[in-house]
Amino acid sequence: MAFQSSSLSCSSSVDLRRPSAKASDIFGSQLRSLEIEPTHLRLLDSFKRSPKALRLTAVMGSPAQETKDNKPKVEEVSDHFKELRHRFLGFKKDKYLSNLEHYQRLSEVQTPKFMVIACADSRVCPSSILGFQPGEAFVIRNVANLVPPHDNGPTETNAALEFAVNSLEVENLLVVGHSCCGGIRALMSLDDEENTSSFIRSWVFVGKPAKLKTKASASNLDLDQQCRHCEKESINRSLFNLLTYPWIEERVKNGTLSIHGGYYDFIDCTFEKWTLDYKGNSLAPDDGCSINNREFWS
């Protein structure tokens, strides 16, 4: 099974069937085997003067150089947080303090109109793409922006849905997929017969119906094109899965809740939006999505 890293291009992938990396591979160096090597211990002169000043020096190769080379690059990590500190203070000055009354109200209550289910991909931040401000959207992000059906049991995604719908009473559920999704590529590359304990495989398996429909309708296309097809198909499948939750279906029936799909193509920066058309009867996913209000923003 192949899973695309979010920091790689669309066609890049890593093979999840390979055994887990050894610690020596992860840290980029060969770890010494646990065999006893000749170690010379020398007592410092200070020990002769006072037992309290005992200091033992283990001489193995070039200890000073080895310790220096293996030190974490603390300066580089610190630089990253200096940048975050600069951004935070900028936010406080330019946004928080200039809208203090608004943020004080948010400290007491939140009343978002949207619940957004988006991918965890670092390139796909709903607040940046769609301009959500604090208090406007309740957001859950997971690999491949999947919504499991109600019968699959509890996950952090449906826990967030329950809170957003039943407690916050949001008016819109929006599932946002995107181009070059590593989770969808992992799904499309799955060997259904493979038995593995991979967390990724177990999670993206939720999208198997979307994969099967893609294979049936786009089998003549190459993998990249199939993945793009499945990226949108999996969004529609998630929209239908939302209706398997009784408290969601009830609100959709009485018109207090709407379900929407969105697709962000970050290659050319376009966005597609559509709404699930629910007319009072449960829809069958295999009959195809009934949608309206489709829009294309470019």
Side-chain angles (χ1 to χ4, degrees), residues 73-91:
K73 297 181 179 178
V74 179
E75 296 81 3
E76 292 183 9
V77 176
S78 177
D79 287 342
H80 293 318
F81 279 93
K82 284 180 181 177
E83 174 62 23
L84 293 183
R85 177 179 181 274
H86 175 73
R87 295 180 190 179
F88 170 73
L89 294 178
F91 160 77

Side-chain angles (χ1 to χ4, degrees), residues 186-246:
L187 171 65
M188 292 300 297
S189 304
L190 274 179
D191 180 355
D192 293 340
E193 303 302 321
E194 182 182 9
N195 185 14
T196 176
S197 60
S198 167
F199 293 130
I200 296 171
R201 182 187 189 281
S202 298
W203 171 250
V204 299
F205 199 75
V206 169
K208 185 179 178 181
K211 172 187 176 179
L212 294 177
K213 190 166 184 178
T214 297
K215 290 290 187 181
S217 61
S219 58
N220 59 317
L221 303 179
D222 62 29
L223 180 60
D224 286 342
Q225 292 173 310
Q226 287 185 19
C227 286
R228 186 176 180 87
H229 187 284
C230 190
E231 286 163 358
K232 296 183 179 182
E233 183 59 43
S234 68
I235 297 171
N236 287 333
R237 181 63 58 157
S238 286
L239 301 187
F240 282 112
N241 284 347
L242 285 170
L243 289 174
T244 65
Y245 295 85

Side-chain angles (χ1 to χ4, degrees), residues 108-125:
E108 298 172 357
V109 65
Q110 59 170 324
T111 56
K113 302 299 182 184
F114 283 86
M115 160 72 178
V116 180
I117 301 97
C119 186
D121 193 301
S122 64
R123 301 163 292 184
V124 188
C125 177

